[in-house]
């Protein structure tokens, strides 16, 4: 039974300003694109939700030119005034939360509460950015020269290219576009080919806010694949920063292109996240956290728990409890409020799931639960538990599906070493009630990831912290803390208010 009927879906799309066929580029006005047809599919049913036409090279050029012009106007707006525009965007998102959240569910298959949660994350970002718009501060330093003042200030950087993945089709735009906006930058968004309607709906909401404020078109859009939009954008010297979220393969290719022109890139790439459960852990807490982090979003979060390290003394009990819990996960239509796990994004993701499990078995793994593709329309698979052998090659890769590999350990040093032995370094967690174990995990000899939690799972980060990961995850940090600095250029200023010209380091140069 689906709660989203064809008529309720078409009413929802029309409330968000979406048509059956949509223009795929925005530069302050919607550009009637004529490129490749992207059919936006509901992954729960395989039905077409709408069509978007890809931008052409000429459309891209128009949008890029507009982003540059918008930047030059916007950068002169006082930062708190820019913050006020972002505040109003937050309010507009509050008004559209229900519809936009439902669109996320329909287009990428997230369950209802996660679709709504994604829009809430945008709203939280807006609130954060309003405060940030009054806190873009630099430091002042004492000069070694008399009657001199030295300080640093932060200026807007320029137009920013924002390339996003399908699995956070709206929130990742907000992380970038809102911070960039208060920093005085415009953005050109290249969304995932699998979440085009979400990007158009968000841009329409943003357009209303810009127009109401007489602001330049700082939030631009160009829908297209890597060849038509992604690569031209990353190679475009008019964009000093490219912020890209996606797979390690994407980051490797894009990072090289941006580096070759000495641009700045902010890379948020794949993870292979682990949770350690020690002998003294609160197993009830650990079980709930593992379940959400491994099964939530059908295993399609960058922070999804993919590896679980269990102390030998509690391993048998945890495995039994996990098997039981996995058996009670309600899989189905993500629009149905009681569903806990929706579909994978597309047919290829189902093939990747099958392939990973074949590899796991070949490499000595044993399936404890799940392992099957469900025989129903859409792209549904079972959440799967695999008993694994340390260093099985497949466990060192990110498969974007709900597969959890289980390992056993005897001492914490050994578990941390195994945890850190993969190329990715995004999110990690330990469940323990032992203060020494917790501190060891957080210490310099502990987790090597960008995110390290104690008694909290790997997924579901708050926006107040800087989000990102190390090693092949790309080293980028977005959202909270001082991530804004990536979107600005630092200028060190020294001012002489005396009558002499002393040189630094005592150098003399007199004629
Ligand atoms: P993907 O790499 O297939 O695509 C991501 C985006 O990059 C898309 O818009 C795509 O068109 C574009 N792209 C791909 N190759 C490109 C290239 N060479 N040049 C320019 N653009 C290019 O990823 P996906 O399947 O959409 O998303 C899943 C991946 O994203 C997973 O690996 C996941 O871990 C990762 N992810 C990471 C984070 C994070 O914050 N670290 C967050 C969300 C998703």
């Amino acid at each position: 039974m689906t709660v989203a009927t064809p008529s309720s879906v078409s009413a929802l799309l029309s409330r968000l300003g979406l048509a059956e066929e949509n223009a795929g580029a925005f530069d302050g006005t919607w550009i009637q694109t004529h490129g490749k047809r992207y059919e936006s599919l509901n992954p729960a049913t395989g039905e077409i939700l709408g069509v978007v036409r890809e931008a052409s090279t000429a459309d891209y050029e128009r949008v890029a030119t507009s982003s540059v012009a918008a930047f030059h106007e916007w950068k002169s707006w006082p930062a708190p005034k820019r913050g006020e525009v972002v505040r109003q965007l937050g309010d507009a998102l509050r008004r559209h939360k229900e519809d936009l959240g439902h669109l996320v569910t329909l287009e990428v298959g997230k369950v209802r509460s996660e679709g709504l949660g994604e829009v809430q994350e945008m709203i939280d970002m807006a609130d954060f950015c309003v405060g940030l718009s009054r806190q873009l501060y630099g430091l002042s330093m004492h000069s070694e020269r008399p009657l001199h003042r030295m300080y640093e200030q932060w200026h807007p950087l320029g137009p920013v290219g924002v390339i996003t993945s399908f699995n956070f089709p709206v929130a990742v735009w907000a992380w970038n576009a809102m911070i960039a906006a208060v920093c005085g930058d415009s953005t050109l968004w290249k969304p995932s080919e699998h979440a085009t309607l979400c990007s158009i709906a968000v841009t329409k909401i943003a357009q209303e806010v810009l127009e109401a404020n007489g602001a330049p078109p700082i939030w631009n859009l160009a829908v297209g694949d890597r060849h038509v939009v992604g690569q031209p954008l990353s190679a475009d010297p008019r964009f000093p920063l490219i912020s890209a979220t996606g797979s390690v393969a994407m980051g490797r290719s894009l990072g090289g292109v941006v580096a070759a022109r000495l641009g700045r890139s902010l890379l948020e790439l794949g993870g292979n996240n682990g949770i350690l459960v020690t002998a003294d852990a609160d197993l009830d807490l650990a079980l709930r956290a593992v379940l959400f982090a491994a099964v939530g979003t059908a295993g399609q979060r960058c922070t999804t728990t993919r590896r679980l390290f269990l102390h030998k003394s509690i391993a048998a009990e945890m495995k039994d409890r996990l098997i039981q819990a996995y058996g009670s996960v309600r899989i189905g239509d993500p629009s149905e409020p009681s569903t806990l796990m929706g579909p994978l994004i597309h047919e290829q993701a189902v093939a990747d799931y099958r392939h990973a499990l074949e590899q796991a078995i070949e490499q000595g793994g044993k399936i404890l639960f799940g392992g099957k593709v469900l025989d129903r329309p859409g792209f549904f698979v079972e959440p799967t538990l695999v008993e694994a052998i340390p260093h099985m090659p497949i466990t060192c890769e990110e498969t974007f599906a709900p597969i959890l590999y289980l390992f056993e350990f005897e001492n914490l040093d050994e578990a941390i070493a195994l945890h850190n032995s993969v190329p990715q370094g995004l999110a990690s967690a330990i469940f323990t009630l032992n203060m020494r174990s917790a501190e060891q995990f957080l210490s310099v000899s502990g987790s090597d990831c960008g995110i390290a939690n104690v008694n909290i799972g790997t997924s579901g980060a708050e926006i107040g912290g800087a989000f990102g990961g190390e090693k092949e995850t790309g080293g980028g940090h977005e959202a909270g803390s001082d991530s804004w600095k990536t979107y600005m250029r630092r200028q060190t200023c020294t001012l002489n208010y005396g009558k002499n010209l002393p040189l630094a380091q005592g150098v003399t140069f007199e004629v």
Side-chain angles (χ1 to χ4, degrees):
M1 209 262 315
T2 177
V3 292
T5 60
S7 65
S8 72
V9 170
S10 76
L12 169 101
L13 297 178
S14 105
R15 283 197 299 278
L16 289 168
L18 297 164
E20 268 174 37
E21 186 160 320
N22 298 277
F26 178 77
D27 71 346
T29 56
W30 286 92
I31 302 171
Q32 198 47 62
T33 44
H34 298 286
K36 197 162 65 192
R37 267 169 65 92
Y38 282 114
E39 287 179 349
S40 168
L41 295 185
N42 179 341
T45 60
E47 286 161 3
I48 298 176
L49 291 166
V51 168
V52 182
R53 300 301 291 248
E54 183 175 67
S56 64
T57 303
D59 299 329
Y60 167 76
E61 183 52 35
R62 218 176 119 175
V63 178
T65 306
S66 157
S67 302
V68 173
F71 165 69
H72 286 296
E73 184 182 340
W74 183 245
K75 70 179 183 187
S76 303
W77 284 43
K81 291 256 181 292
R82 302 193 293 245
E84 168 57 17
V85 175
V86 174
R87 188 192 68 72
Q88 292 178 31
L89 178 58
D91 280 351
L93 288 164
R94 282 182 173 87
R95 290 195 295 278
H96 292 286
K97 178 175 172 181
E98 193 60 36
D99 284 345
L100 188 57
H102 200 175
L103 180 63
V104 170
T105 293
L106 290 171
E107 195 171 32
V108 304
K110 286 190 170 186
V111 296
R112 288 291 280 131
S113 77
E114 291 188 65
L116 291 169
E118 220 189 301
V119 184
Q120 186 57 46
E121 195 166 340
M122 302 174 86
I123 295 166
D124 294 345
M125 270 316 292
D127 288 353
F128 176 85
C129 286
V130 178
L132 180 63
S133 70
R134 292 180 186 269
Q135 296 176 74
L136 302 169
Y137 48 77
L139 299 172
S140 68
M141 301 86 181
H142 286 259
S143 170
E144 68 184 54
R145 289 168 282 184
L147 306 181
H148 279 56
R149 186 163 72 82
M150 181 160 62
Y151 70 102
E152 66 182 18
Q153 58 182 351
W154 294 84
H155 287 307
L157 180 68
V160 176
V162 178
I163 296 177
T164 54
S165 57
F166 80 84
N167 67 324
F168 275 91
V170 294
V172 171
W173 173 82
W175 288 4
N176 286 283
M178 291 182 184
I179 293 213
V182 295
C183 289
D185 303 335
S186 58
T187 43
L188 193 167
W189 184 10
K190 185 221 129 8
S192 162
E193 301 89 314
H194 306 291
T196 53
L197 294 184
C198 282
S199 70
I200 293 172
V202 166
T203 303
K204 292 202 171 207
I205 295 169
Q207 176 187 6
E208 270 177 38
V209 176
L210 292 175
E211 286 173 3
N213 285 278
I218 52 163
W219 290 313
N220 294 305
L221 177 74
V223 170
D225 67 13
R226 72 189 69 173
H227 304 292
V228 178
V229 180
Q231 284 158 357
L233 178 58
S234 31
D236 194 331
R238 291 172 291 183
F239 290 80
L241 169 65
I242 302 292
S243 173
T245 302
S247 57
V248 171
M250 177 278 280
R252 249 187 245 292
S253 151
L254 175 141
V257 173
V258 180
R261 63 173 172 91
L262 303 181
R264 192 184 289 179
S265 55
L266 194 170
L267 299 176
E268 293 285 2
L269 310 176
N272 189 357
N273 316 293
I275 294 183
L276 280 59
V277 185
T278 63
D280 51 69
D282 178 335
L283 296 190
D284 293 339
L285 210 62
L287 185 75
R288 282 167 51 201
V290 170
L291 199 63
F292 173 64
V295 174
T297 329
Q300 299 171 106
R301 284 190 183 219
C302 50
T303 50
T304 291
T305 302
R306 308 199 181 278
R307 298 175 301 138
L308 182 63
F309 304 90
L310 301 169
H311 188 268
K312 277 196 168 18
S313 63
I314 49 93
E317 182 185 347
M318 270 298 276
K319 284 179 194 173
D320 285 349
R321 291 181 71 177
L322 274 168
I323 291 169
Q324 214 180 353
Y326 267 54
S328 54
V329 170
R330 293 179 298 278
I331 307 170
D333 182 348
S335 292
E336 167 67 53
S338 63
T339 299
L340 287 181
M341 193 182 118
L344 294 181
I345 187 69
H346 43 43
E347 193 61 56
Q348 182 57 46
V350 175
D352 293 346
Y353 165 86
R354 275 188 218 265
H355 181 68
L357 291 177
E358 282 162 16
Q359 297 274 300
I361 292 165
E362 253 176 62
Q363 293 168 14
K366 188 175 145 206
I367 294 184
L368 297 184
F369 184 91
K372 290 194 279 303
V373 174
L374 299 186
D375 184 16
R376 55 175 287 170
F379 310 116
F380 290 89
V381 300
E382 287 180 323
T384 302
L385 294 168
V386 178
E387 206 163 54
I389 299 168
H391 309 297
M392 269 168 53
I394 190 68
T395 65
C396 300
E397 290 175 24
E398 179 196 53
T399 303
F400 225 49
I403 302 172
L404 181 63
Y405 298 108
L406 310 179
F407 302 88
E408 293 187 18
F409 69 90
E410 275 181 80
N411 70 66
L412 194 53
D413 290 342
E414 168 208 340
I416 291 175
L418 185 57
H419 170 272
N420 289 351
S421 68
V422 294
Q424 311 83 355
L426 182 52
S428 60
I430 188 168
F431 279 77
T432 183
L433 297 179
N434 180 315
M435 188 258 265
R436 285 190 177 143
S437 303
E439 290 292 350
Q440 183 180 346
F441 186 72
L442 300 176
S443 77
V444 67
S445 314
S447 161
D448 62 1
C449 291
I451 294 167
N453 295 333
V454 176
N455 295 329
I456 295 173
T458 52
S459 65
E462 298 177 30
I463 58 101
F467 181 88
E470 302 303 328
K471 304 195 286 184
E472 285 190 358
T473 302
H477 291 282
E478 284 179 332
S481 184
D482 64 353
S483 307
W484 60 269
K485 290 179 176 169
T486 308
Y487 301 78
M488 301 199 84
R489 66 182 168 88
R490 185 195 308 244
Q491 187 170 63
T492 303
C493 310
T494 312
L495 193 149
N496 178 2
Y497 58 95
K499 293 183 177 162
N500 296 316
L501 195 66
L503 299 177
Q505 294 90 41
V507 173
T508 53
F509 198 83
E510 299 291 343
V511 284

